Amino acid sequence: MSGSSKKQTPSSKADEKKFFRWVRLGELLVSSGLVSQEDFELALEAQKSSGRQIGDVLIQLGFVSRRQLLEALANQMDVAAWEFSHWQPDAILIASVDGESCRRLQAMPVGWNEDHVVVAMRNPTDVNAIDFFAEKLEAKIEPALADEATLAEAIERVYFQGTDLQQVHVDALVSEALGDGQSNRSKERSLHLHKIEQQTRPVISLVNKVISDALKSGASDIHLEPQEGYLHVRYRVDGRLRTVSTIPAKLTKTVVARIKIMAELDPVEWRTPQDGRFSVKVEDFNVDMRVSVFPSLHGGRVVMRILDRANSLLDLDELGLSEHNYPLFMDAINQPYGLFLVTGPTGCGKTTTLYSAMQSVRSTEINVLTCEDPVEYTLEGISQSHTNPKIGLTFAEQLRAILRQDPDVILVGEIRDAETAETAARAANTGHMVFSTLHCKTAPSAIVRLQDMGVDRWMLGSAVTSVMSQRLVRKLCPTCRVQQKATAAQADVLEGALNTACPSKLWVADGCHDCGETGYAGRVAVHEILPVNEEIGELISHGAPQSQLEDAGRKAGYRTMQEDAAERILRGETSCEEARRLLVFGDRRNPKAA
C-alpha cells in the first residue's frame, strides 16, 4: 500500500467494525518505549502552561516525531498510518467523491489495497464516514489514520485549489496496478486510466470549459461526437446544432470517462449505452445535466441535455402565447376536470408549457401529482415521481397508483400507448384534471392518434377538453435584422396562411457578432389550440374525420400554427424561411383563402 505502514485490513461495514481497546496516550507511548516516563511527565507540565494538545507538545519538545506519534495511535486503533509525503491521487477515486463531503467528514479516498479502498481519516472509528465512502464508492473501505493538519491540507489542495487530477503521474498508477497484491478490479481501474491518457493533460479543466461555454452560449444540448482523428464538439443553440471546436482523438476516452464519473456511470464500460445525470455550478447557478453515452465506431458518443431551471420554468406570460391563444390556453388549464394535451415533436417545449401550467394551477387546497420519465425539474408544492419500466412501473401503472392518492390534478409525462391513454381518459372522466403530452403533428390529429391507439371514441369525446400543438421558431436577432423586398415565395406563404396581401418588405436574417453570425437570437413558440366544446365532443364520439374537427374548431377559436407563425413574420419576430423550416404551409392554409 503506497504511502502507508500496513497493519491489517478491517472491513468497511459498520456492524463489522472492531471495538478498539483505548489506552491513555501516555501509557501507550511509555509502554511502547517511544517516550520515557520522566519525559512524558515533563511534557505534561509544559502542556499546562501552553494549553496545546499533549501530542503537539511531545513533538515540539523533540521527545517523539510526528510520524512516530501517528504510527503509535494507528497501532492502538489497529489500522494503518497514512503519510501524504509520496502520495499521488487516484483520479477516479478523487473524482467520485465531492470535496465538501471530505471536508465535513475529515476524510478522503487515497488509493486501493487489494479490493478495499483506503480512506485516510482523522478518526478511523467514525462509522458514519466509513459507511458514506462505502456507499459512494461501492467498495469495501479500509480506514487509515492520517495527521489532522496534513489531511486537511491534502483535501484543500486536491479539491479546492484547482489541482488537475489528470496531471497525476500515470506511471505511478501503472506501477501500482502491476505490483504484487493488486486485485483485478484495482488493476483494471488503474490500467484503464493509463490507456485512456498517455500524456498528462488538463482534461477536467477542458470538460468544465466545454460545459461553461455551452451555458454562456445559451445551448440546450452538448454533443461530443468521436470521429476518426478528433472529437467533434457541437452545441444546440436555438434548436440548431453549431460546431464549436474539435478535441484530439487521443483524448476521447479520457473526456468521456470524466463525464461518466461526473454522472456516476461506470467509466470502464464501453460496450453498452449508459444514462445518468449530474449537477454543475456555474457563476453561482446550479444547473442539472442529463447525460446519454452511446457506443459508436470511434468511441463513446455523449449528449448532455442542459436542464437550466432558470430558463425553462416560465411564467404563463413568458410562454409567448398570442393575444388570441392566451385566453383559450387559460380556459383549458383551469377546467375542473378533463384531459388537456400538448402535442408536437421532441424538443418543441411541451414539458416547459406543462410545467408552467402546473405552477399556475397549484395551491394548498388541491393535491397535484406527476409521473414523469424522468423528472426534469423539481416543482415546489407538487408531488413528483419517476416511472421505471425496468421494474414494471410504466406510465399506466404509475397513473393507476396515483389515482389511489386522492389527486385533483395529474401530470402524465407522455402518452405512449393505449393503456396509458385509456387510463388517462378514464381519470379525466371521473373528476380529475389530467395534463399530458403526445407526439403528433397538429392539435386535431391528436384525436385521430388516440383513436388509432384503440381508445374508445365515446370516452375521448367526453374526456378531452382541449388540445394544443406547438413548435419553437427562432427569433430574428434584433441587432442585425434587416428589411428586404418580399419575394414571390414569401408572399405565397403569408397570403395563403392569412388571406391577406403581403407587405412590400419583410424582416429577414442578416448576421452579427451578437447572434454568432446566424441572424437569430432565442426562440419563441407558435401554437394552435383546439377547444373541445360540446359540438366537437359529439363529433369525436361519432368518429368524425380530422377535416371536420378542424372546421368545427374554427367556430370555437381554433387557428393553425401556420397562421400564428405568419402573424409573427409580419411583426418581424421571425422570418418566413424559419417558419417554413418547421411548418408545412402548402396543405394547412386558412380555408378563407380559397
Side-chain angles (χ1 to χ4, degrees):
M1 180 173 65
S2 175
S4 65
S5 59
K6 179 71 175 68
K7 297 299 180 184
Q8 69 183 57
T9 304
S11 171
S12 63
K13 296 299 181 183
D15 56 0
E16 296 174 353
K17 285 294 299 172
K18 295 183 178 180
F19 291 94
F20 301 121
R21 185 178 65 86
W22 288 98
V23 181
R24 293 178 65 87
L25 181 60
E27 180 184 342
L28 175 68
L29 296 176
V30 171
S31 64
S32 63
L34 291 174
V35 178
S36 67
Q37 184 66 41
E38 293 78 8
D39 287 344
F40 186 74
E41 291 176 357
L42 181 61
L44 285 176
E45 289 298 324
Q47 183 197 27
K48 292 177 182 178
S49 59
S50 68
R52 302 180 65 186
Q53 292 185 348
I54 186 62
D56 292 335
V57 175
L58 287 165
I59 294 170
Q60 185 179 26
L61 293 174
F63 294 156
V64 66
S65 69
R66 190 172 296 277
R67 180 179 178 84
Q68 287 175 322
L69 181 62
L70 185 69
E71 289 185 345
L73 292 171
N75 185 63
Q76 179 194 22
M77 299 179 185
D78 200 19
V79 298
W82 186 266
E83 288 284 340
F84 286 94
S85 56
H86 302 293
W87 172 67
Q88 295 292 345
D90 182 312
I92 293 178
L93 286 179
I94 295 298
S96 299
V97 182
D98 65 283
E100 290 294 343
S101 294
C102 292
R103 263 182 182 169
R104 175 173 54 82
L105 298 170
Q106 298 184 64
M108 69 183 296
V110 291
W112 286 84
N113 182 34
E114 297 180 353
D115 61 345
H116 288 64
V117 173
V118 181
V119 176
M121 308 176 67
R122 185 193 68 83
N123 177 13
T125 65
D126 186 342
V127 174
N128 291 331
I130 292 171
D131 287 346
F132 168 82
F133 285 103
E135 180 179 357
K136 197 73 173 175
L137 299 171
E138 297 183 351
K140 296 179 180 179
I141 302 301
E142 177 181 327
L145 178 66
D147 175 72
E148 181 176 357
T150 308
L151 173 61
E153 180 184 350
I155 292 173
E156 294 301 314
R157 175 170 57 85
V158 169
Y159 284 103
F160 301 102
Q161 295 179 5
T163 299
D164 190 343
L165 299 181
Q166 293 297 335
Q167 293 178 352
V168 172
H169 293 295
V170 179
D171 290 342
L173 291 174
V174 176
S175 173
E176 201 172 297
L178 297 176
D180 294 336
Q182 285 287 329
S183 69
N184 289 333
R185 178 187 177 116
S186 179
K187 290 177 183 178
E188 181 183 10
R189 295 172 75 93
S190 296
L191 285 173
H192 174 69
L193 184 59
H194 175 63
K195 290 176 182 177
I196 64 176
E197 179 50 38
Q198 296 296 326
Q199 301 175 349
T200 56
R201 297 292 300 271
V203 173
I204 289 180
S205 299
L206 175 61
V207 171
N208 290 343
K209 180 170 174 37
V210 168
I211 295 173
S212 177
D213 288 351
L215 292 171
K216 291 175 182 177
S217 68
S220 61
D221 301 86
I222 302 171
H223 287 235
L224 301 177
E225 304 162 353
Q227 305 292 331
E228 186 175 2
Y230 60 90
L231 179 64
H232 200 196
V233 182
R234 297 199 289 173
Y235 297 158
R236 187 176 293 278
V237 181
D238 295 336
R240 304 286 279 178
L241 283 171
R242 180 186 303 174
T243 299
V244 292
S245 64
T246 58
I247 297 173
K250 64 182 180 181
L251 293 180
T252 295
K253 282 192 175 181
T254 315
V255 169
V256 176
R258 168 60 183 163
I259 293 170
K260 285 184 175 183
I261 290 169
M262 295 171 73
E264 298 185 350
L265 303 176
D266 187 349
V268 300
E269 174 57 64
W270 298 98
R271 299 167 298 174
T272 60
Q274 297 183 68
D275 297 298
R277 64 191 299 156
F278 63 90
S279 295
V280 62
K281 191 171 185 178
V282 178
E283 297 181 356
D284 297 328
F285 290 99
N286 289 316
V287 179
D288 293 329
M289 310 285 290
R290 197 170 71 210
V291 179
S292 171
V293 183
F294 181 79
S296 69
L297 179 62
H298 298 293
R301 188 185 192 282
V302 178
V303 174
M304 292 183 280
R305 169 64 58 87
I306 300 173
L307 305 174
D308 187 353
R309 183 185 180 92
N311 292 328
S312 297
L313 296 183
L314 306 178
D315 293 333
L316 293 181
D317 57 2
E318 297 177 300
L319 291 177
L321 288 154
S322 67
E323 291 184 5
H324 176 83
N325 284 327
Y326 186 80
L328 295 177
F329 177 79
M330 293 302 296
D331 182 65
I333 67 173
N334 286 301
Q335 294 293 321
Y337 57 86
L339 177 60
F340 173 55
L341 295 170
V342 180
T343 76
T346 300
C348 73
K350 298 188 299 293
T351 300
T352 297
T353 296
L354 284 185
Y355 273 21
S356 298
M358 298 294 282
Q359 290 190 111
S360 173
V361 302
R362 69 181 177 183
S363 79
T364 58
E365 298 177 348
I366 62 173
N367 185 20
V368 184
L369 295 96
T370 78
C371 53
E372 306 171 59
D373 180 24
V375 173
E376 293 191 358
Y377 305 99
T378 302
L379 301 177
E380 185 178 352
I382 294 175
S383 298
Q384 298 172 263
S385 62
H386 291 280
T387 61
N388 190 347
K390 292 181 180 179
I391 61 172
L393 193 58
T394 61
F395 275 119
E397 188 64 31
Q398 188 84 320
L399 180 53
R400 280 192 288 268
I402 284 176
L403 290 172
R404 296 190 288 271
Q405 290 285 310
D406 186 30
D408 297 295
V409 178
I410 305 168
L411 169 64
V412 182
E414 183 182 342
I415 292 178
R416 298 175 178 171
D417 52 57
E419 186 180 13
T420 305
E422 184 171 332
T423 306
R426 289 186 185 279
N429 278 327
T430 54
H432 305 90
M433 188 62 208
V434 182
F435 297 87
S436 192
T437 69
L438 187 69
H439 284 284
C440 59
K441 294 180 179 180
T442 67
S445 67
I447 304 300
V448 179
R449 174 93 167 86
L450 291 171
Q451 290 173 341
D452 288 344
M453 283 184 178
V455 182
D456 183 81
R457 63 177 186 264
W458 295 97
M459 185 186 300
L460 279 180
S462 59
V464 179
T465 56
S466 187
V467 185
M468 182 168 82
S469 189
Q470 66 180 60
R471 303 289 188 277
L472 291 175
V473 298
R474 291 181 295 171
K475 295 191 294 184
L476 287 169
C477 175
T479 304
C480 64
R481 65 176 186 167
V482 295
Q483 281 190 312
Q484 291 183 358
K485 183 179 179 180
T487 66
Q490 292 170 336
D492 183 59
V493 165
L494 292 175
E495 292 172 2
L498 296 177
N499 191 25
T500 185
C502 178
S504 60
K505 289 186 176 182
L506 292 175
W507 291 100
V508 297
D510 189 11
C512 66
H513 175 75
D514 290 350
C515 61
E517 304 300 333
T518 64
Y520 297 93
R523 290 189 291 177
V524 64
V526 293
H527 308 90
E528 63 180 36
I529 300 178
L530 176 68
V532 179
N533 55 21
E534 185 176 349
E535 178 188 355
I536 296 175
E538 284 291 324
L539 291 173
I540 293 172
S541 298
H542 289 87
Q546 181 175 328
S547 59
Q548 196 171 348
L549 296 178
E550 292 179 359
D551 291 340
R554 288 279 173 187
K555 304 174 189 177
Y558 169 68
R559 300 176 68 186
T560 68
M561 284 183 288
Q562 284 79 356
E563 293 172 74
D564 194 13
E567 290 182 346
R568 295 178 189 276
I569 294 170
L570 292 177
R571 292 196 297 266
E573 292 182 27
T574 190
S575 69
C576 191
E577 290 70 27
E578 174 66 9
R580 292 180 67 185
R581 184 178 67 85
L582 293 172
L583 299 170
V584 177
F585 281 81
D587 59 350
R588 294 298 311 283
R589 296 188 178 198
N590 187 334
K592 296 179 182 179

